[in-house]
Amino acid sequence: MLRVCKNNNISFARGDTVKFALFINQGTLLKPVRYNLLKHRNWEIYMGIMSPNQKFEHADVKFKYTEENATITKEGDLVVEIPPRMTENLCDGKYYYQIKIKYFRKKEEFITSVIPKT
């Protein structure tokens, strides 16, 4: 059973199908502003699922979403999909996830954590 909390905690059993829309906030907590992926180009979103002391770069499960392979809602949010085969062989326990976006502004590349290690 999938449970997504307001504090960005996600609970699910290994081997479950996970699917949810990711709201990317480019504003503040008090004044959220949606980063609409449909209105931007040349972005990449990375998601990693890792053990508590593991670095993002060495995540057990990794995903890369691009304009070409991502499903985007009509509001411009990314649909995060984790198929069962990606988590079915993980050991039981507590894992963390982190989501980063890479985008370009005026020919400069930026990488920002959308959701810090949670």
Side-chain angles (χ1 to χ4, degrees), residues 53-93:
N53 295 321
Q54 202 170 22
K55 292 183 179 183
F56 178 80
E57 295 80 15
H58 304 290
D60 294 318
V61 179
K62 300 175 186 178
F63 296 93
K64 178 181 175 183
Y65 299 97
T66 64
E67 295 173 69
E68 292 79 31
N69 72 1
T71 302
I72 309 296
T73 67
K74 64 182 177 184
E75 293 83 17
D77 297 335
L78 173 70
V79 177
V80 174
E81 298 181 64
I82 303 173
R85 65 179 164 70
M86 297 299 286
T87 61
E88 64 189 4
N89 294 320
L90 291 176
C91 295
D92 286 337

Side-chain angles (χ1 to χ4, degrees), residues 45-63 96-101 111-113 115-117:
I45 296 178
Y46 302 93
M47 179 179 182
I49 300 174
M50 63 223 88
S51 300
N53 295 321
Q54 202 170 22
K55 292 183 179 183
F56 178 80
E57 295 80 15
H58 304 290
D60 294 318
V61 179
K62 300 175 186 178
F63 296 93
Y96 290 79
Y97 76 101
Q98 186 171 3
I99 299 176
K100 296 183 178 198
I101 186 169
I111 298 175
T112 303
S113 287
I115 297 180
K117 196 171 184 182

